[in-house]
Amino acid sequence: MSDDVEALRQFLTAAQAELASMREAHEAAMTRLQAENDQVLIASALRAEAMRLGAHNPDDVVRLMDRGDVVRGEDGQVTGASAALERVRRERGYLFAAQVVPGTASGSTIGAVAPRPGEAAPFDARKATDADYAARKWQLLAGK
């Protein structure tokens, strides 16, 4: 009987050691996957910001830049992307399109001045749809 108890103790000790090693392997894999996931999210945020800033090829901008200051916080938000891309834009402006200022000429195109709001066109009952005509009629009858 004592041999059976000793064999059971050895089996339990081996099982606990195996469980501990499996737990460590699982935690290492989870840490690695989390780091990979963070890098994918950071790259996506940088690519989106590069597109917003007018990058010719956002993927090249993301590959060439220093991502040291861009991190994903505990809340899941990527911080530092705007500042890092503005720095890249200052240092490597050739990767970005020149910003067009409205009303100025740049190359072969002229940036148009933003339109000013005008007055509403007069109501023409002959060209109005039935619904528009009925709505205007009720406005007139209501005194508005």
Side-chain angles (χ1 to χ4, degrees):
M1 167 122 177
S2 102
D3 291 338
D4 291 340
V5 171
E6 188 61 34
L8 189 58
R9 283 185 185 160
Q10 290 176 355
F11 176 75
L12 284 176
T13 304
Q16 288 174 342
E18 184 180 351
L19 179 64
S21 74
M22 288 174 69
R23 184 175 290 138
E24 288 175 9
H26 174 71
E27 288 173 0
M30 288 299 294
T31 303
R32 181 182 50 81
L33 288 174
Q34 185 66 36
E36 289 175 6
N37 186 34
D38 288 350
Q39 291 304 314
V40 168
L41 287 173
I42 287 171
S44 296
L46 288 170
R47 192 175 303 111
E49 186 69 16
M51 282 189 262
R52 188 185 70 75
L53 291 175
H56 293 296
N57 190 339
D59 292 326
D60 286 347
V61 172
V62 172
R63 276 189 222 111
L64 293 173
M65 70 180 289
D66 177 27
R67 298 191 215 182
D69 297 336
V70 184
V71 294
R72 181 175 179 215
E74 291 295 321
D75 60 351
Q77 299 296 321
V78 176
T79 57
S82 299
L85 279 165
E86 284 296 332
R87 189 172 46 252
V88 170
R89 189 173 190 185
R90 281 192 312 271
E91 295 170 358
R92 297 181 177 175
Y94 60 89
L95 293 172
F96 296 88
Q99 289 183 335
V100 177
V101 178
T104 61
S106 71
S108 62
T109 61
I110 297 177
V113 178
R116 293 194 175 117
E119 294 184 22
F123 181 72
D124 187 359
R126 295 173 291 177
K127 296 179 183 177
T129 63
D130 290 339
D132 288 340
Y133 179 77
R136 294 291 278 215
K137 181 174 77 173
W138 283 107
Q139 285 178 349
L140 179 67
L141 291 174
K144 292 184 180 180

